[in-house]
């Protein structure tokens, strides 16, 4: 396979990149020179967009220019912080740095003239920027006149701002990319798109140069919104590669064999008879789709999309029973231990009266018990085995796996899913696959992300639910909310208090949650309050969730680990802190934890004022709708109108350049081209997949 533009060239071949830097780039997912070249700027700093300090807008990325009048180091709870006060003719602004070294400190000495670029936040008295990009004005003066002497900063109007990680500066990234661009100039890449498409796009080298060094006269919005031909080329390629790979997987799947499992009513009948409720019309319809797939001799690959609380578990149970009554085994994979345990409890209760063996491969098992669990799966004694994906990848072997069920699919990548699926291959027969997700994705996006799957939708909630009432409240009214929590608990209800990501680091986040618990315990001393977060040991987490389920814990403070699936019907109030920082899909998932019982439930979205216009609009959507599909659609519309939030990851798909939300208009074109390309230019299709999705190559050649 030709190496396109250095897809196989390790990053370390670039001059100036040793093991330490390579490791940092690795953290960003950059392993090869191509990855680096495709590491596109998040946005561009526009030197021409300088604002007077008294005219800045909160939430906007802006350049301000002024003189440093004060420079101090302030100890904070976590680390020391460097704070620079800069002044122009109109006012004072603060620049704050958590990660700084002596060099930065020295550069930012009083009297220095600098321009700083970053997001404007409102501080106590002045606007501020956290970790802004900055340039010392004095350094930019006149060295250009010196023949060939390199300038310290390139004189470009637009400076790219790249996604980065701790310890990797913009300058280092920029330098590495410039080296890669030089290499590219010396070794022009081979064009792999068929000739009929050439004219529509710029060639690779030109396009990359424009993206990393936008010319003065460019309309920079065209680049950031994905409309400029330079970036369109890569969006198109990646979408195409992704779609082709899904298509290939689907075709591959259709050539495989599976055991046809026809319902014989041995278990399904008595199960439904004993169930305290009847399935909804939507559940019945979706089960019918599933049973008709499973009766065929090609493996089912069906995705069930159903809003939170729509009753996907019951659908999974019926699919499992169909496999089991045909003498097959079933594997159920959940994204977290908490969910795996919850499924284990439900399925045991449902299946034990039928004499069906359900087992749980928990992370808590002792080595001996784990071995026993594995033995029982291998001997066929276990009919249904439940666990997290980590556990299934371990060493599980089945005698006769007929069905793989994957819950909350958006947490798993396509590759993980396919790996588990392949585990079940016996005598050239594949297991059927049922995938469930609560992340509603609008249709156009689903066509791409789930292009390899058949999709059924549960579009109806079980009867008797009272919709959750959502209110949006400023953090200034926090005391009232604490009183509200108190009242709910006194009335015998349970409450979630969700403490969301405050810092980028999970450790700091967990710390913030611990402080919150202390605060709440002090204010509400008579309540039983506990904390659950991602950094805790899994058995600790389990035990707390268990106590919450049993009603022993009244107020559960949690980070977003409770986002998916947890079912505690007595919980009727949820407070979400910093709601303005979360995506709508995530807020909707979180809110889905309440409103599961018959009591009227409330969700309080606490925000930190002032709210930007977009944040306001988004919280408004949450207040107005409880329907995941509507929320997802609105989310797109709001984003479409300006703010570019990264959507490189959606429904388990993970893109380098594509932002599915931003780029959705291209999807239908790509689909058309993809079909014809796979027929008329199979070599080109292979090369595209190989260069964009190298880990999927094995499915292509299979
Ligand atoms: P999700 O789709 O979010 O996974 P669950 O399967 O956890 O939803 O179901 C949510 C709740 O609804 C559970 O308590 C479940 O027992 C209940 N439920 C499911 N189907 C029905 C139904 N047809 N009628 C009444 N309650 C139902
Ligand atoms: Mg569920």
């Amino acid at each position: 396979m030709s190496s396109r533009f250095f897809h196989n060239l390790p990053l370390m071949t670039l001059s100036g990149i040793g093991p330490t830097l390579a490791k940092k780039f690795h953290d960003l997912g950059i392993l090869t020179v191509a990855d680096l070249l495709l590491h596109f700027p998040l946005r561009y700093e526009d030197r021409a967009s300088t604002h007077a300090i008294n005219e800045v807008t909160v939430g906007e990325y802006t350049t301000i220019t002024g003189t440093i009048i004060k420079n101090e180091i302030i100890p904070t709870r976590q680390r020391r912080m460097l704070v620079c006060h800069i002044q122009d003719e109109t006012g004072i602004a603060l620049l704050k740095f958590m990660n700084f070294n002596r060099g930065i400190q020295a550069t930012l000495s009083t009297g220095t003239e600098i321009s700083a670029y970053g997001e404007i936040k409102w501080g106590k008295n002045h606007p501020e920027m956290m970790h802004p990009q900055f340039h010392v004005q004095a350094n930019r003066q006149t060295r250009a006149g010196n023949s060939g002497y390199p300038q310290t900063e390139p004189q470009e109007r637009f400076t790219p701002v790249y996604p980065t990680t701790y310890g990797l500066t913009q300058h280092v990234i920029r330098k590495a990319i410039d080296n890669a661009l030089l290499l590219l100039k010396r070794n022009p890449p081979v064009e792999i798109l068929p000739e009929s498409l050439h004219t529509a796009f710029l060639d690779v080298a030109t396009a990359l140069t424009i993206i990393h060094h936008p010319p003065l006269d460019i309309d920079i919005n065209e680049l950031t919104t994905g409309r400029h031909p330079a970036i369109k080329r890569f969006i198109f390629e990646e979408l195409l590669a992704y779609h082709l790979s899904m298509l290939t997987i689907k075709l591959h799947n259709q050539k495989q064999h599976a055991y046809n499992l026809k319902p014989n009513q041995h278990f399904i009948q008595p199960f439904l008879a004993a169930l305290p409720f009847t399935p909804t019309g939507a559940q019945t319809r979706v089960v019918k789709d599933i049973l008709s797939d499973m009766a065929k001799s090609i493996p089912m690959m069906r995705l069930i999309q159903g809003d939170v609380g729509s009753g996907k578990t019951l659908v999974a149970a019926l699919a499992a029973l169909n496999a089991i009554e045909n003498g097959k085994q079933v594997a159920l994979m959940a994204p977290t231990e908490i969910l795996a345990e919850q499924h284990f409890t439900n399925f045991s209760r449902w299946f034990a009266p039928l004499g069906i063996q359900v087992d749980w491969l928990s992370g808590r098992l002792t080595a001996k018990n784990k071995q026993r669990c594995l033995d029982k799966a291998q001997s066929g004694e276990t009919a249904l085995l439940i666990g997290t994906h980590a556990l299934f990848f371990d060493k599980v072997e089945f005698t006769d796996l007929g069905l793989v069920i994957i819950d909350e699919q958006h947490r798993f990548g396509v590759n993980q899913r396919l790996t588990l699926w392949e585990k079940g291959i016996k005598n050239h027969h594949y297991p059927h696959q049922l995938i469930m997700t609560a992340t509603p994705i609008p249709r156009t996006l689903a066509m791409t992300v789930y292009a390899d799957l058949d999709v059924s939708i549960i579009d109806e909630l079980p009867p008797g639910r009272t919709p959750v009432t959502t209110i949006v409240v400023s953090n200034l009214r926090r005391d009232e909310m604490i009183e509200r929590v108190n009242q709910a608990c006194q009335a015998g209800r349970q409450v979630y208090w969700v403490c969301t990501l405050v810092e980028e680091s999970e450790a700091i986040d967990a710390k913030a949650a611990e402080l919150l618990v202390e605060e709440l315990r002090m204010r509400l001393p008579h309540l039983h309050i506990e904390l659950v977060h991602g950094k805790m040991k899994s058995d600790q987490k389990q035990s707390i969730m268990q106590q919450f389920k049993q009603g022993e814990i009244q107020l559960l403070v949690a980070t977003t680990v409770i986002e998916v699936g947890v079912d505690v019907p007595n919980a009727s109030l949820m407070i979400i802190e910093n709601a303005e920082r979360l995506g709508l899909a995530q807020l909707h998932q979180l809110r889905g934890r309440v409103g599961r019982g018959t009591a009227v439930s409330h969700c309080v979205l606490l925000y930190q004022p002032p709210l930007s216009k977009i944040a306001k609009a988004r919280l408004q959507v949450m207040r107005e709708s409880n329907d995941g599909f509507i929320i997802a659609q609105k989310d797109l519309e709001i984003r479409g109108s300006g703010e570019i939030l990264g959507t490189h990851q959606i429904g388990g798909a993970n893109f380098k350049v594509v932002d599915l939300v931003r780029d959705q208009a291209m999807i239908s074109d790509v689909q058309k081209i993809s079909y014809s390309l796979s027929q008329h230019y199979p070599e080109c299709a292979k090369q595209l997949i190989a260069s964009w999705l190298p880990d999927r190559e094995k499915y292509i050649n299979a």
Side-chain angles (χ1 to χ4, degrees):
M1 195 117 324
S2 84
S3 96
R4 298 269 343 255
F5 41 102
F6 320 128
H7 282 91
N8 304 319
L9 199 63
L11 202 58
M12 295 238 275
T13 38
L14 287 179
S15 71
I17 297 190
T20 320
L21 270 185
K23 164 93 189 37
K24 297 243 145 82
F25 278 107
H26 188 279
D27 291 346
L28 291 173
I30 300 172
L31 303 165
T32 65
V33 175
D35 292 337
L36 180 67
L37 286 167
L38 295 174
H39 190 60
F40 289 174
L42 272 177
R43 53 179 182 272
Y44 298 86
E45 171 186 354
D46 183 355
R47 291 272 168 81
S49 81
T50 301
H51 277 85
I53 288 176
N54 71 352
E55 276 174 1
V56 296
T57 311
V58 171
E60 276 184 8
Y61 284 88
T62 311
T63 306
I64 52 181
T65 299
T67 314
I68 299 181
I69 52 166
K70 191 167 152 196
N71 165 340
E72 58 186 343
I73 292 174
I74 297 178
T76 71
R77 224 183 273 130
Q78 291 111 18
R79 275 170 262 162
R80 296 182 318 149
M81 180 161 73
L82 175 66
V83 180
C84 283
H85 300 237
I86 75 167
Q87 185 172 38
D88 69 4
E89 299 87 66
T90 68
I92 292 175
L94 308 188
L95 312 180
K96 296 185 164 177
F97 302 86
M98 290 293 252
N99 309 315
F100 62 94
N101 52 29
R102 286 231 187 97
I104 294 187
Q105 204 186 332
T107 310
L108 298 175
S109 55
T110 34
T112 309
E113 181 86 359
I114 73 165
S115 66
Y117 172 79
E119 190 187 355
I120 302 284
K121 302 241 161 91
W122 190 252
K124 258 203 198 106
N125 302 309
H126 303 289
E128 28 181 81
M129 287 181 180
M130 198 72 191
H131 301 140
Q133 305 294 312
F134 63 88
H135 304 279
V136 173
Q137 299 291 0
N139 286 357
R140 291 173 56 202
Q141 284 166 359
T142 51
R143 281 183 175 160
N146 257 330
S147 62
Y149 194 91
Q151 287 177 248
T152 44
E153 290 293 337
Q155 289 289 357
E156 286 181 335
R157 174 173 169 194
F158 300 105
T159 312
V161 180
Y162 294 99
T164 186
T165 179
Y166 182 73
L168 198 57
T169 65
Q170 293 293 324
H171 180 67
V172 169
I173 299 179
R174 234 170 278 160
K175 231 171 70 184
I177 287 178
D178 286 349
N179 276 338
L181 285 171
L182 274 179
L183 201 61
L184 196 66
K185 269 199 195 111
R186 277 187 244 123
N187 311 275
V190 201
E191 185 56 75
I192 61 166
L193 293 180
E195 228 164 271
S196 53
L197 290 172
H198 282 188
T199 46
F201 300 105
L202 292 171
D203 69 273
V204 167
T206 311
L208 285 173
T209 308
I210 291 177
I211 289 166
H212 294 293
H213 289 281
L216 270 177
D217 56 351
I218 198 169
D219 177 352
I220 203 73
N221 279 328
E222 299 243 298
L223 268 188
T224 42
T225 55
R227 280 174 292 135
H228 194 280
I231 190 161
K232 247 182 152 161
R233 163 179 193 119
F234 298 103
I235 296 170
F236 178 82
E237 269 197 32
E238 189 176 26
L239 272 177
L240 193 57
Y242 189 85
H243 200 263
L244 282 166
S245 80
M246 295 306 239
L247 206 63
T248 321
I249 292 171
K250 186 163 191 169
L251 292 176
H252 170 70
N253 176 61
Q254 281 166 355
K255 282 189 232 136
Q256 309 310 320
H257 298 284
Y259 292 106
N260 50 357
L261 310 175
K262 297 200 172 80
N264 58 35
Q265 303 305 345
H266 185 68
F267 286 138
I268 292 185
Q269 204 74 46
F271 171 76
L272 285 176
L275 204 64
F277 46 76
T278 42
T280 62
Q283 283 169 324
T284 307
R285 180 171 44 74
V286 170
V287 169
K288 210 173 131 210
D289 290 346
I290 295 171
L291 295 185
S292 110
D293 284 351
M294 290 175 79
K296 291 182 191 146
S297 49
I298 53 170
M300 162 170 81
M301 271 191 137
R302 185 167 290 276
L303 174 85
I304 309 301
Q305 244 185 309
D307 212 341
V308 282
S310 61
K312 293 183 290 295
T313 319
L314 177 64
V315 168
L318 290 165
L321 288 175
N322 182 48
I324 296 168
E325 68 186 16
N326 278 282
K328 300 290 172 195
Q329 290 172 289
V330 179
L332 196 169
M333 179 157 94
T336 63
E337 282 272 307
I338 292 176
L339 272 191
E341 177 178 27
Q342 181 173 292
H343 280 317
F344 177 68
T345 315
N346 280 335
F347 281 92
S348 301
R349 185 163 37 95
W350 282 343
F351 288 6
L354 303 168
I356 298 171
Q357 288 284 328
V358 181
D359 205 358
W360 175 31
L361 184 56
S362 158
R364 274 191 294 174
L365 294 181
T366 58
K368 200 168 127 213
N369 283 335
K370 184 172 178 193
Q371 194 52 51
R372 190 179 317 148
C373 176
L374 294 175
D375 289 344
K376 274 165 56 187
Q378 190 163 22
S379 71
E381 197 184 329
T382 301
L384 168 62
L385 182 61
I386 298 168
T388 65
H389 62 295
L391 298 173
F392 275 105
F393 284 120
D394 258 14
K395 279 208 174 88
V396 193
E397 295 289 339
F398 296 91
T399 344
D400 203 358
L401 185 62
L403 172 67
V404 173
I405 302 173
I406 297 174
D407 194 15
E408 305 297 354
Q409 181 273 347
H410 64 290
R411 291 291 179 99
F412 301 109
V414 179
N415 292 339
Q416 282 178 312
R417 173 154 68 71
L418 293 176
T419 310
L420 184 71
W421 189 48
E422 285 176 341
K423 266 183 136 21
I425 306 175
K426 272 262 157 79
N427 306 323
H428 304 290
H429 280 67
Y430 279 67
H432 294 286
Q433 239 194 118
L434 180 66
I435 297 142
M436 304 192 289
T437 180
T439 313
I441 299 181
R443 233 187 97 68
T444 32
L445 303 197
M447 286 192 322
T448 296
V449 176
Y450 305 136
D452 62 330
L453 303 170
D454 298 307
V455 180
S456 302
I457 298 176
I458 310 183
D459 51 6
E460 181 186 350
L461 290 183
R465 297 272 172 83
T466 340
V468 181
T469 308
T470 300
I471 54 173
V472 179
V473 173
S474 153
N475 202 18
L476 299 172
R477 288 171 54 200
R478 198 181 170 82
D479 288 351
E480 278 172 58
M481 294 309 120
I482 293 178
E483 183 44 37
R484 194 163 177 162
V485 169
N486 188 26
Q487 282 166 9
C489 292
Q490 299 299 349
R493 300 272 152 219
Q494 286 166 280
V495 179
Y496 294 101
W497 192 301
V498 185
C499 180
T500 58
L501 211 66
V502 206
E503 286 277 340
E504 295 90 69
S505 133
E506 219 189 299
I508 297 178
D509 211 32
K511 184 87 195 132
E514 276 161 20
L515 290 174
L516 174 63
V517 171
E518 279 171 32
E519 180 199 345
L520 290 172
R521 279 190 184 140
M522 211 137 68
R523 311 257 321 245
L524 303 167
H526 48 286
L527 295 186
H528 186 174
I529 306 174
E530 292 293 344
L531 165 68
V532 59
H533 62 67
K535 285 263 149 182
M536 279 160 70
K537 289 221 178 66
S538 97
D539 49 347
Q540 236 179 326
K541 266 191 283 195
Q542 297 313 327
S543 119
I544 290 195
M545 286 316 294
Q546 200 51 41
Q547 291 176 56
F548 189 59
K549 259 187 199 174
Q550 287 162 356
E552 291 158 22
I553 294 173
Q554 291 162 292
L555 170 56
L556 184 67
V557 177
T559 55
T560 47
V561 292
I562 52 146
E563 183 190 334
V564 286
V566 175
D567 192 31
V568 181
N570 191 44
S572 66
L573 173 60
M574 172 176 280
I575 315 274
I576 305 179
E577 285 212 62
N578 296 313
E580 78 278 10
R581 296 182 194 220
L582 295 187
L584 289 188
Q586 206 179 7
L587 284 174
H588 180 61
Q589 282 283 326
L590 283 168
R591 182 174 61 181
R593 303 306 111 221
V594 288
R596 303 196 143 228
T598 41
V600 179
S601 294
H602 291 89
C603 177
V604 177
L605 305 178
L606 269 186
Y607 66 87
Q608 196 62 45
L611 276 182
S612 72
K613 234 196 270 163
I614 286 176
K616 204 175 276 174
R618 297 168 74 232
L619 293 182
Q620 175 84 359
V621 171
M622 289 302 295
R623 203 165 55 191
E624 285 169 358
S625 180
N626 270 301
D627 180 325
F629 282 90
I630 292 178
I631 292 173
Q633 193 55 47
K634 292 270 184 203
D635 199 12
L636 289 194
E637 288 164 17
I638 295 173
R639 289 185 200 189
S641 67
E643 183 172 308
I644 310 293
L645 285 176
T647 320
H648 296 292
Q649 249 190 322
I650 199 165
N654 199 348
F655 293 99
K656 283 198 186 77
V657 176
V658 167
D659 180 323
L660 268 187
V661 173
R662 180 192 68 185
D663 304 328
Q664 56 175 324
M666 278 169 92
I667 291 174
S668 67
D669 274 354
V670 165
Q671 265 181 340
K672 278 181 226 137
I673 294 171
S674 153
Y675 289 109
S676 90
L677 204 74
S678 65
Q679 287 188 346
H680 304 298
Y681 301 92
E683 261 319 299
C684 165
K686 269 190 182 179
Q687 286 199 13
L688 274 170
I689 299 174
S691 58
W692 286 94
L693 301 150
D695 51 349
R696 267 188 218 166
E697 244 182 307
K698 64 174 176 186
Y699 303 108
I700 307 158
N701 298 319

